[in-house]
Amino acid sequence: MNRRAFIRTTAIAASGLALAPAMVRATSAGFPVVRTPEAKRRFTSPAVEKTIAQVQSTIGNQELAWMFGNCFPNTLDTTVDFSMVDGRPDTYVITGDIDAMWLRDSSAQVWPYLPLMPQDARLQQLIAGVINRQTRCILLDPYANAFYKEPTKVSEWKSDFTDMKPGVHERKWEVDSLCYTLRLAHGYWKTSGDTAPFDDAWRAAVAKIVQTFREQQRKHDHGPYHFMRRTETQTDTVAGRGYGNPANPVGLICSMFRPSDDATVFPYLVPANFFAVVSLRQAAEMLEQIHHDTGAATDCRALADEVEAALQKYAIVHHADFSKVYAYEVDAYGDYYCIDDGNVPSLLSLPYLGAVKTGDRIYQNTRHLVLSPDNPYYCQGNAANGPGGPHVGMDMIWPLGLIVQGLTSTSDDEIKQCLVTLQKTHAGTGFMHEAFHKNDPSHFTRSWFAWANTIFGELVLKTFNERPKLLN
């Protein structure tokens, strides 16, 4: 089933405890044991366990310590399938409650573990396996967002009006899917120095990424991608007979879907295009230094420069109350959409992705806008305030949005408030969720969402390293 089919309102008793129902018992701190039992964990990293022990034994907030111990290892505990294929590491990573591997989610789920690789060779091997599998996925279909472990498996979405292939779970074209794979590859290389995953197949996958980005600039025609689905959900299909609403071909890259897997309104998704600029420059650095391919590196940088120039010309709009801001989506004809989405990439997340500096004036204006009632998807409720998004609907706060708010903040008070809100709204489960109601945290979606869990661990660990007093 697709993600939307798994969105469900869940009572506290059926929440994160479902991951390990036999293990619920009181701990010395008074919190139940909800982490997957050791014997049933998919992968165990000594470096991750050491980090958990260090944080839990040091910080004063015992509930946050408990939540960190549940959430930070959740990707390894529950979602990874590691093996060796033809003598090379191979790692299939599900999102949680759906047996499919999203390029975006799998990259984001293992990202917080990169700094621990020097202490744990097996963990490094696991992440190398993610890169190797992503390479094969891109070569199979660069327009697909999610894949199966078995290359012969046929999707339940085989009747979608697009070029579906065996091994592809869903074929929603999202610029960020390919950006995330480059971000993970670059982060892995910079942290480990290992170049083994970056063979000729990886190089071919990068060429396929650049080709796909150029096709979706749509300078001469629509390109090869189109998508429609028979559905009652408007955001699960694409307007314009599958090609999207019109866009002025100015150098930006069309994205038919957002990182929420919802269809875009205007084809140029601004956060995804910012992400592409960063990712293309990272690819150029790797092609130049690992493969000594100055031609391909120059091509990547030229495309990044073109997209960046178009963003400066077409993505900045004037808001009546916040002056110059970045729009969320534009068509480069003068139409734009000023919202933000709790997913990543978002406008809020741009510094986290390395796309803008935190102090950038237009980013700060945009930040004030998206964290205010002027953003129709910013939620203010009796239980919490925080970023939401169209995917789940009005009045639903995304923990991912709160986490990114904390990760991109330079204010102790703001970071602390994000942590306090996350602590108050896990609904007694000890885990993060996709979204929860602003007035009732026990009304939430997706009790098993590994990306949200792991990035929550990233926020706690970043705070532990940089501002430990906030955890007391």
Side-chain angles (χ1 to χ4, degrees), residues 56-346:
Q56 289 187 324
S57 65
T58 303
I59 68 175
N61 187 319
Q62 291 302 298
E63 187 171 9
L64 277 179
W66 170 66
M67 293 168 63
F68 178 74
N70 300 329
C71 292
F72 188 55
N74 189 246
T75 287
L76 301 181
D77 285 355
T78 66
T79 69
V80 299
D81 187 347
F82 175 77
S83 63
M84 299 296 292
V85 175
D86 297 328
R88 292 169 63 81
D90 176 75
T91 310
Y92 175 72
V93 187
I94 64 174
T95 69
D97 51 20
I98 309 168
D99 186 8
M101 176 167 163
W102 267 256
L103 295 179
R104 170 186 53 255
D105 293 49
S106 60
S107 300
Q109 283 168 245
V110 299
W111 176 263
Y113 304 133
L114 290 180
L116 302 180
M117 292 191 304
Q119 307 168 37
D120 191 335
R122 287 186 66 250
L123 182 62
Q124 178 175 319
Q125 189 179 44
L126 177 97
I127 298 173
V130 177
I131 296 169
N132 290 336
R133 176 162 282 268
Q134 288 179 344
T135 294
R136 298 204 303 276
C137 291
I138 293 166
L139 292 175
L140 173 63
D141 187 352
Y143 283 105
N145 56 325
F147 300 80
Y148 293 120
K149 182 181 181 184
E150 299 303 328
T152 58
K153 185 173 180 178
V154 176
S155 173
E156 65 185 282
W157 302 115
K158 62 184 178 181
S159 61
D160 285 347
F161 296 96
T162 190
D163 185 17
M164 287 293 288
K165 301 177 177 70
V168 170
H169 169 69
E170 194 171 49
R171 196 171 189 255
K172 290 182 172 179
W173 160 238
E174 300 162 7
V175 169
D176 69 277
S177 292
L178 300 182
C179 296
Y180 265 107
T181 67
L182 295 174
R183 180 181 190 241
L184 179 64
H186 186 264
Y188 174 91
W189 171 58
K190 282 294 191 181
T191 304
S192 69
D194 178 33
T195 60
F198 311 118
D199 58 2
D200 288 341
W202 179 83
R203 192 176 175 184
V206 174
K208 185 68 72 172
I209 290 171
V210 175
Q211 175 188 329
T212 304
F213 284 169
R214 288 201 180 279
E215 288 172 352
Q216 290 308 307
Q217 287 181 300
R218 299 189 178 183
K219 292 181 178 180
H220 308 295
D221 53 40
H222 284 308
Y225 178 80
H226 58 90
F227 181 98
M228 287 193 293
R229 175 178 291 173
R230 288 191 178 93
T231 177
E232 296 178 354
T233 305
Q234 181 182 7
T235 53
D236 264 350
T237 192
V238 175
R241 298 188 64 81
Y243 290 101
N245 290 316
N248 192 9
V250 296
L252 294 170
I253 304 167
C254 290
S255 187
M256 291 300 95
F257 288 89
R258 301 168 179 163
S260 59
D261 300 334
D262 288 350
T264 51
V265 175
F266 299 118
Y268 297 135
L269 180 59
V270 170
N273 274 265
F274 267 107
F275 197 3
V277 172
V278 175
S279 303
L280 285 164
R281 288 174 177 160
Q282 291 172 337
E285 182 185 1
M286 296 179 72
L287 288 166
E288 201 166 57
Q289 295 197 25
I290 297 172
H291 289 283
H292 310 291
D293 189 341
T294 55
T298 298
D299 193 30
C300 286
R301 291 193 179 103
L303 180 54
D305 291 346
E306 182 182 9
V307 175
E308 184 176 53
L311 283 168
Q312 292 305 309
K313 187 172 182 179
Y314 296 100
I316 301 169
V317 301
H318 183 82
H319 190 280
D321 295 324
F322 295 92
S323 189
K324 289 183 178 181
V325 299
Y326 296 117
Y328 185 68
E329 292 172 358
V330 300
D331 63 3
Y333 284 115
D335 301 303
Y336 57 88
Y337 197 16
C338 276
I339 65 162
D340 204 17
D341 198 312
N343 219 302
V344 182
S346 60

Side-chain angles (χ1 to χ4, degrees), residues 38-60:
E38 188 171 354
K40 295 183 178 180
R41 293 172 192 167
R42 308 286 304 188
F43 187 93
T44 300
S45 162
V48 169
E49 298 304 319
K50 181 180 178 181
T51 301
I52 293 170
Q54 182 183 14
V55 171
Q56 289 187 324
S57 65
T58 303
I59 68 175

